[in-house]
Amino acid sequence: MTQIPLSADGREWQVKKIVVIGPGIVGTPMAALLASAPIRGQDPPEVVVVQRDSVTSGWKVGAINRGESPIGGVEPGLDRLIAEAVRNRSLRASHDYAEARDADVILVCVQTDKRGFAPDYGPLFEALTCLGPELQRRTPGHVPVIVFESTLAPSSMTTLVSEQFASFGLEDGRDLLLGNSPNRVMPGRLVERVTTSDKLVGGLRRETVQKIQHLYSRIVTGGTVHPTNSMTAEVVKTLENAYRDVRIAFSAEIARYCDDSDVDFYQVRDAINHRLAQADSATRDATAVPTGGLLVPTVGVGGHCLPKDGILLWWRRLEAGLDHANSLILEARRINDESPGVCIAQAERAFGSIAGRPVAILGTAYRFDSEDTRNSPSLALADALRAKGCPVVLHDPYVRPGDQNLLRYGLGEHFTNELSLALKDAEIGFLCTGHGSYRTELVPAMRQAPVLKNLFDACNFFQPGEPDGKQIRYAGIGRGRAAPVPQLLEFVEQEFHAMERGLSNELVLLIDFLNEAYAADPFNRIDFAEVQRLAGTCVTGCQIVDPGPIPDTTGYDAFTTRLADLARAAASTRLQTC
């Protein structure tokens, strides 16, 4: 039993049992860590992972109960934590939602998505529909804390989620306590991210926030747990990913200009990030997480967060039919969705027409050393290449052959885990994901490939002068030969400042709308400065500047960025209407 002090008068909140719904990349590390965290020498609480018995994910219950991680790829520390917790009988898994009846804490870690310009909460509400009847049968007087680790569109907790529980006669503050703590995990670093990253905890009531903060401080041992309200937590989470999506799109715009002008984008990147005091090592290290102002443009943006969170942040204003023509966040989505097509055009500029030529796509997961294919741009690239008549084979060392996203794209029969098989007939390779195994295996495999003549690096994997060995023509994003001139650097810095100021102006617009429409009381209001502060605790960099006017520019070499142009247009419109 875990006892958590809430105040100096000795009152304690007893946590005997925690239920975690959804053993994905969020629920699995949270469950393993909570099941391994004794407090003041006491035994950890019992942690039960609940997964519905589905065709695609039902197997995870058996895996956990055998002491095995259901997460593929390279996840340092996770396998050991799960094996030890299962052996110590503090962790188990079940298909039965009745486990929630006597739980003191319930973590909801079910994936959310978007459908068009609105959230897709189908799987989440399916889980809540299973949970609701069991909470109706809970122990009399028992008030569990329910924490949503899932990403939610701002206002969802105070409206849709509360209404879903109310449909079962369950009210916040009487029958349960509703809170949210949006995750900041990253595949390949799940345990590290949970334990060392700062974490937000929100709720509809102060009491709820306090309880979650005390519980989570036991596993967030290398970071700080920041209390706030639910809607602020929702805004900060979606903002972090939306702004990262915007910075990737801005970086892609600059890289595309550099490629058209034969300028080394990575020299531009390092110079600008030095000026911004946001330097990182990602220019030379494909396994480093980019955190600078200018990020690393690749074949596209994938994963479960970045492709949707900007739309979730905008959802309520879009739903209201309000103007969004000058949105940087929504335009960034279009720019990043263009990336697979831009890569093909660049490859054709370097290697000649690709139409009908056999292609190997190296890396099917969206991120290195991961098995995750959700929204992977490699799948979109494969689709575009097949439309040009190219026989395509996809390779990945971690993705399962029966992966549901491969099947959804009709690419199951075009996938292999064998690198030599992927390269056997390929004339052109597109390197899309920088898996660590490629560092030692790829060049030798290319030497043995009988007809491979060209390699396009779409993930900044190789450095200038690489790959060596067999004579293969090499091209990639940002690989221009000329050094940037000072005037170009001045222009890029000016465009970056216009973009970041425009993002802040857009954020103010969204916050004002949400406060007016959905903040029921002072505790639940969103404050821009607080959002700014909390976003700044994101480990991958989310420095939100103050809002304000944006000066005009004359451009450089007849070039301006689409994002900075929108920022200037929005600022001009705002001044005219004030």
Side-chain angles (χ1 to χ4, degrees):
M1 178 176 65
T2 298
Q3 295 183 332
I4 299 176
L6 289 181
S7 65
D9 64 7
R11 291 184 298 113
E12 291 182 321
W13 175 42
Q14 297 183 351
V15 180
K16 300 178 182 179
K17 183 178 182 182
I18 298 173
V19 164
V20 178
I21 299 174
I25 63 170
V26 177
T28 296
M30 290 297 293
L33 286 163
L34 287 167
S36 307
I39 300 173
R40 292 200 298 273
Q42 300 177 49
D43 291 336
E46 178 188 22
V47 178
V48 183
V49 177
V50 173
Q51 164 64 53
R52 68 186 180 93
D53 193 10
S54 70
V55 174
T56 57
S57 299
W59 60 271
K60 295 180 180 182
V61 167
I64 292 171
N65 287 335
R66 291 190 300 271
E68 301 169 2
S69 172
I71 307 300
V74 179
E75 288 296 347
L78 185 58
D79 291 355
R80 176 187 58 79
L81 279 172
I82 291 174
E84 290 180 356
V86 171
R87 186 166 56 249
N88 294 335
R89 298 185 178 181
S90 60
L91 176 66
R92 60 184 175 87
S94 172
H95 294 304
D96 193 352
Y97 275 82
E99 294 283 356
R101 294 182 188 178
D102 59 344
D104 302 291
V105 179
I106 301 168
L107 272 59
V108 180
C109 307
V110 180
Q111 177 183 344
T112 59
D113 210 330
K114 66 176 177 67
R115 179 178 293 136
F117 288 100
D120 179 3
Y121 289 153
L124 178 69
F125 282 178
E126 182 179 346
L128 298 186
T129 299
C130 295
L131 178 63
E134 303 304 335
L135 293 182
Q136 289 176 325
R137 301 182 181 97
R138 72 193 185 283
T139 304
H142 194 61
V143 181
V145 174
I146 303 181
V147 188
F148 283 78
E149 290 274 337
S150 308
T151 301
L152 300 173
S155 79
S156 293
M157 281 290 292
T158 193
T159 58
L160 300 183
V161 171
S162 296
E163 291 163 4
Q164 183 74 359
F165 283 108
S167 70
F168 294 98
L170 302 168
E171 292 186 12
D172 177 62
R174 184 191 69 187
D175 306 295
L176 41 76
L177 295 174
L178 292 176
N180 53 327
S181 181
N183 71 84
R184 282 173 163 173
V185 301
M186 176 179 287
R189 305 183 181 195
L190 296 179
V191 173
E192 173 195 332
R193 279 300 180 85
V194 173
T195 56
T196 66
S197 298
D198 284 11
K199 191 160 178 55
L200 312 180
V201 295
L204 300 180
R205 298 168 180 271
R206 294 184 190 276
E207 174 191 0
T208 309
V209 176
Q210 186 181 22
K211 287 188 171 185
I212 302 170
Q213 182 182 15
H214 279 295
L215 177 63
Y216 279 7
S217 66
R218 270 55 183 183
I219 61 173
V220 182
T221 54
T224 301
V225 180
H226 298 274
T228 186
N229 62 60
S230 282
M231 196 152 61
T232 296
E234 292 166 337
V235 167
V236 173
K237 167 61 176 180
T238 51
L239 170 65
E240 288 171 359
N241 289 318
Y243 186 36
R244 190 166 185 82
D245 200 38
V246 168
R247 280 153 54 218
I248 292 172
F250 180 82
S251 304
E253 288 198 85
I254 301 301
R256 291 170 193 176
Y257 172 83
C258 289
D259 286 328
D260 290 342
S261 306
D262 198 24
V263 172
D264 185 340
F265 165 77
Y266 287 98
Q267 289 191 44
V268 174
R269 178 179 192 270
D270 286 346
I272 296 301
N273 285 345
H274 177 75
R275 293 184 180 200
L276 298 172
Q278 297 182 39
D280 62 30
S281 60
T283 289
R284 283 159 295 280
D285 182 359
T287 66
V289 178
T291 59
L294 279 186
L295 297 176
V296 175
T298 63
V299 67
V301 175
H304 57 295
C305 291
L306 271 64
K308 78 173 191 305
D309 283 5
I311 290 171
L312 298 189
L313 180 58
W314 257 89
W315 167 51
R316 286 301 194 181
R317 274 190 65 94
L318 292 170
E319 180 187 56
L322 300 179
D323 180 51
H324 58 275
N326 291 326
S327 169
L328 279 73
I329 292 171
L330 300 181
E331 182 64 19
R333 282 282 73 239
R334 289 184 278 270
I335 292 169
N336 287 328
D337 284 345
E338 294 165 1
S339 291
V342 171
C343 285
I344 292 174
Q346 285 184 248
E348 291 195 311
R349 187 162 56 198
F351 309 141
S353 174
I354 286 178
R357 299 167 73 181
V359 173
I361 294 178
L362 305 172
T364 306
Y366 85 92
R367 189 178 186 278
F368 66 87
D369 293 344
S370 167
E371 65 169 353
D372 199 337
T373 60
R374 283 177 290 183
N375 297 306
S376 173
S378 297
L379 304 179
L381 177 67
D383 245 10
L385 289 167
R386 292 173 71 195
K388 296 177 75 69
C390 299
V392 171
V393 179
L394 297 97
H395 172 264
D396 200 285
Y398 301 115
V399 173
R400 294 180 175 88
D403 177 86
Q404 59 183 324
N405 293 309
L406 277 172
L407 299 179
R408 186 176 298 125
Y409 272 79
L411 294 169
E413 63 184 22
H414 301 278
F415 175 81
T416 180
N417 292 125
E418 296 183 30
L419 184 56
S420 60
L421 184 59
L423 294 172
K424 181 171 70 72
D425 298 318
E427 293 182 21
I428 302 168
F430 279 83
L431 181 53
C432 298
T433 315
H435 292 303
S437 61
Y438 286 161
R439 185 58 62 189
T440 56
E441 298 174 4
L442 184 55
V443 170
M446 289 192 301
R447 289 174 182 163
Q448 300 299 317
V451 295
L452 187 67
K453 298 181 176 65
N454 311 284
L455 180 69
F456 188 83
D457 186 350
C459 62
N460 189 36
F461 188 77
F462 288 112
Q463 293 297 298
E466 301 177 312
D468 57 4
K470 181 179 177 181
Q471 293 299 310
I472 294 177
R473 283 188 293 178
Y474 173 82
I477 299 172
R479 297 304 181 193
R481 294 167 294 182
V485 298
Q487 295 90 333
L488 174 59
L489 296 179
E490 290 292 334
F491 164 76
V492 173
E493 184 180 11
Q494 182 183 58
E495 291 288 280
F496 181 87
H497 287 311
M499 176 275 295
E500 65 175 353
R501 182 64 61 83
L503 186 283
S504 296
N505 290 344
E506 187 169 326
L507 177 60
V508 169
L509 186 75
L510 295 171
I511 288 175
D512 287 348
F513 175 83
L514 290 166
N515 276 335
E516 182 177 353
Y518 298 103
D521 53 62
F523 173 72
N524 285 291
R525 287 186 65 82
I526 312 163
D527 177 71
F528 176 89
E530 182 66 358
V531 168
Q532 191 178 40
R533 183 186 73 81
L534 292 173
T537 68
C538 179
V539 70
T540 56
C542 187
Q543 298 184 23
I544 305 298
V545 299
D546 291 335
I550 301 172
D552 288 332
T553 182
T554 56
Y556 176 82
D557 191 26
F559 169 64
T560 56
T561 64
R562 287 153 63 180
L563 292 174
D565 284 345
L566 285 174
R568 285 185 283 265
S572 175
T573 301
R574 187 177 181 184
L575 286 173
Q576 292 171 9
T577 57
C578 288

